[in-house]
Amino acid sequence: MTTITTIEPPSKRAEIREAAAQLFRDKGYAATSMRDLAEAVGLKAPSIYNHFASKEEILRSICFDNAQRFLNGLSQIERMPGSAADKLRALIRLHILIATEDATSVIAINDEWRHLTEPYLSRFVAIRREYEQRFKAIVEQGVQCGKLRNVHPHIAVHTIFSSMRWLHDWYKPGKSITPTDIERDIEGILMEGLVCGE
Amino acid sequence: MTTITTIEPPSKRAEIREAAAQLFRDKGYAATSMRDLAEAVGLKAPSIYNHFASKEEILRSICFDNAQRFLNGLSQIERMPGSAADKLRALIRLHILIATEDATSVIAINDEWRHLTEPYLSRFVAIRREYEQRFKAIVEQGVQCGKLRNVHPHIAVHTIFSSMRWLHDWYKPGKSITPTDIERDIEGILMEGLVCGE
DNA sequence: CCTACCGATCGGTAGG
DNA sequence: CCTACCGATCGGTAGG
């Protein structure tokens, strides 16, 4: 008699990854032990190594997949027709969307990536810098054509990135303040603050 | 012959604290060992315990002193005459000032406080909540009297807090972008984004 | 302020 | 997937 036991193995790796992202968010990467993680998914610590080669591979998986999501969104927005202000608005929506949909993973890309070791650390920093540069190019274009106020693009970009960095910590589905409220208010503050009035 | 060796002891504790804040910023509290810290100040690990009772006492000292700086600034601003918008502007300046003057300590209050243990963790969370509530009260007042746009005060407060959270990571004296630039641009973005037009 | 050292816990491996 | 166990490193103490 053959028993089918190979239906769910692809999801076990994902389950561990999700639990790890949660723990990294709550306690940080360094303070999370493989025993904590094992307990969270109902295994013993050594069994984790059947799914990931090391603790760092889990962090790596979270960081690079999440970075890809931001990069894909950015690529789509770059190809979009519309003014720099339109693109900026779309970028703000992208950040809010990812922060509310994938809150546990976002913390990793924000804070825990520094625990990556070489050569992955350098690679991650390069991806991050690339994202920042391409985001900055859109702001620069908006400033040059006079659609955006005359601010340092570097300051504008980091202010935008940062201004949504509390969402993943605070947001949980079912709050009285909805994602729609969040989007309207944050988008309002940043767009009014950046786009030229007259 | 008596040698005077008691001139500088009050500064050794401060030196250790400063080095610890730097390490916590770079590697995080959990990933910083007492041996790392000892090396940074030219001691052996056990000697640190002549100045602090535990690793956590160092973190505690950084977190609570820094929190006090924010609270003192807030108290002064609350007593200030002027509209809610004036007070909001002063609060934004307070955050920029502390972030550029005391960058290494600010990281602790933002990220590493979660490694405090009870009863200090609860105390710290209470202080943080109090600060947030009093900040929010100023925003609420501005919204009610029509000086500020109709945003959720909770969203506004967190957006403001967050929007300056990159400064302590990025700012170093001697950059081509000066604290004056930073203040002008960030204040511009946030005030234009929050204050009613016309 | 140091050397010597403690028990606990860490990430990870061997072997089945 | 587990039990058993590894060397390394942790925060901290004893004793001088």
Side-chain angles (χ1 to χ4, degrees):
Chain A
M1 199 201 282
T2 50
T3 33
I4 305 166
T5 49
T6 42
I7 334 170
E8 49 84 71
S11 77
K12 194 68 186 179
R13 192 177 149 102
E15 186 192 336
I16 292 169
R17 225 188 73 129
E18 180 59 26
Q22 193 79 244
L23 285 164
F24 295 168
R25 173 165 88 150
D26 294 341
K27 318 176 24 159
Y29 175 77
T32 299
S33 72
M34 293 302 265
R35 283 141 178 103
D36 293 335
L37 176 55
E39 195 182 1
V41 293
L43 296 176
K44 298 291 177 180
S47 303
I48 304 282
Y49 292 89
N50 291 314
H51 301 279
F52 289 93
S54 66
K55 186 184 176 188
E56 198 199 334
E57 204 212 339
I58 305 175
L59 179 64
R60 224 147 60 204
S61 157
I62 295 168
C63 287
F64 285 91
D65 286 9
N66 204 251
Q68 202 51 56
R69 207 172 160 192
F70 278 96
L71 278 171
N72 289 344
L74 176 59
S75 295
Q76 260 187 286
I77 289 165
E78 285 169 333
R79 282 193 301 269
M80 195 177 97
S83 70
D86 293 334
K87 289 181 183 179
L88 186 57
R89 185 184 304 273
L91 280 166
I92 291 169
R93 285 184 183 168
L94 174 69
H95 278 244
I96 295 173
L97 182 73
I98 298 176
T100 51
E101 268 189 2
D102 198 12
T104 52
S105 296
V106 167
I107 188 83
I109 211 179
N110 279 336
D111 294 307
E112 305 301 331
W113 58 267
R114 64 183 164 176
H115 293 110
L116 292 169
T117 57
E118 296 298 352
Y120 304 101
L121 179 61
S122 296
R123 273 181 220 168
F124 186 82
V125 170
I127 290 176
R128 217 167 194 265
R129 188 157 37 218
E130 188 205 320
Y131 184 81
E132 186 185 315
Q133 290 305 331
R134 285 163 61 184
F135 198 126
K136 200 190 284 182
I138 291 173
V139 174
E140 269 163 358
Q141 197 202 317
V143 172
Q144 268 162 32
C145 73
K147 284 250 173 35
L148 299 182
R149 283 183 218 287
N150 187 29
V151 294
H152 278 85
H154 192 267
I155 297 179
V157 166
H158 280 91
T159 300
I160 295 166
F161 285 173
S162 279
S163 64
M164 288 170 282
R165 270 185 61 176
W166 58 283
L167 284 177
H168 60 263
D169 252 0
W170 169 80
Y171 179 72
K172 282 184 195 72
K175 288 257 186 191
S176 74
I177 301 181
T178 66
T180 316
D181 293 330
I182 296 167
E183 192 166 296
R184 176 173 39 77
D185 283 356
I186 296 186
E187 198 183 300
I189 294 169
L190 293 176
M191 292 304 290
E192 290 292 340
L194 288 162
V195 174
C196 278
E198 106 238 53
Chain B
M1 197 200 282
T2 50
T3 33
I4 303 169
T5 50
T6 42
I7 334 169
E8 48 86 70
S11 77
K12 195 67 185 177
R13 192 177 149 102
E15 186 192 336
I16 292 169
R17 224 187 74 129
E18 179 60 27
Q22 193 79 244
L23 285 164
F24 295 167
R25 173 165 89 151
D26 293 340
K27 318 179 22 161
Y29 175 77
T32 299
S33 73
M34 294 301 266
R35 281 138 180 107
D36 293 335
L37 176 56
E39 195 182 1
V41 293
L43 296 176
K44 298 291 176 179
S47 302
I48 304 282
Y49 293 89
N50 291 315
H51 302 280
F52 289 92
S54 65
K55 187 183 174 187
E56 199 198 333
E57 203 212 341
I58 304 174
L59 179 63
R60 222 149 59 206
S61 156
I62 295 168
C63 288
F64 285 90
D65 287 8
N66 203 251
Q68 202 51 55
R69 212 177 153 188
F70 278 96
L71 278 171
N72 290 345
L74 175 60
S75 294
Q76 259 186 289
I77 290 165
E78 285 169 333
R79 284 193 300 269
M80 197 176 95
S83 70
D86 292 334
K87 288 180 183 179
L88 186 56
R89 186 184 303 274
L91 280 166
I92 291 168
R93 285 185 182 167
L94 174 69
H95 278 243
I96 295 173
L97 182 73
I98 298 176
T100 50
E101 267 190 2
D102 198 12
T104 52
S105 296
V106 167
I107 188 83
I109 210 179
N110 279 336
D111 294 308
E112 305 301 332
W113 58 267
R114 63 184 163 172
H115 293 111
L116 292 169
T117 57
E118 298 296 353
Y120 304 101
L121 180 60
S122 295
R123 272 181 221 168
F124 186 82
V125 170
I127 290 176
R128 217 168 194 263
R129 188 158 35 221
E130 188 206 320
Y131 185 80
E132 185 185 316
Q133 291 304 330
R134 284 163 61 185
F135 198 126
K136 199 189 286 183
I138 291 173
V139 174
E140 270 161 357
Q141 197 202 316
V143 171
Q144 268 161 34
C145 73
K147 285 250 174 36
L148 299 183
R149 284 182 217 285
N150 187 27
V151 292
H152 278 86
H154 192 267
I155 296 180
V157 166
H158 279 92
T159 300
I160 295 167
F161 284 173
S162 278
S163 65
M164 289 170 283
R165 272 184 60 176
W166 58 281
L167 284 177
H168 60 264
D169 253 359
W170 168 81
Y171 179 72
K172 283 183 196 71
K175 288 256 185 193
S176 73
I177 301 181
T178 66
T180 316
D181 294 329
I182 295 166
E183 192 166 297
R184 177 173 39 77
D185 283 357
I186 296 187
E187 198 183 300
I189 294 169
L190 293 176
M191 292 305 287
E192 290 292 340
L194 288 162
V195 174
C196 279
E198 97 241 61

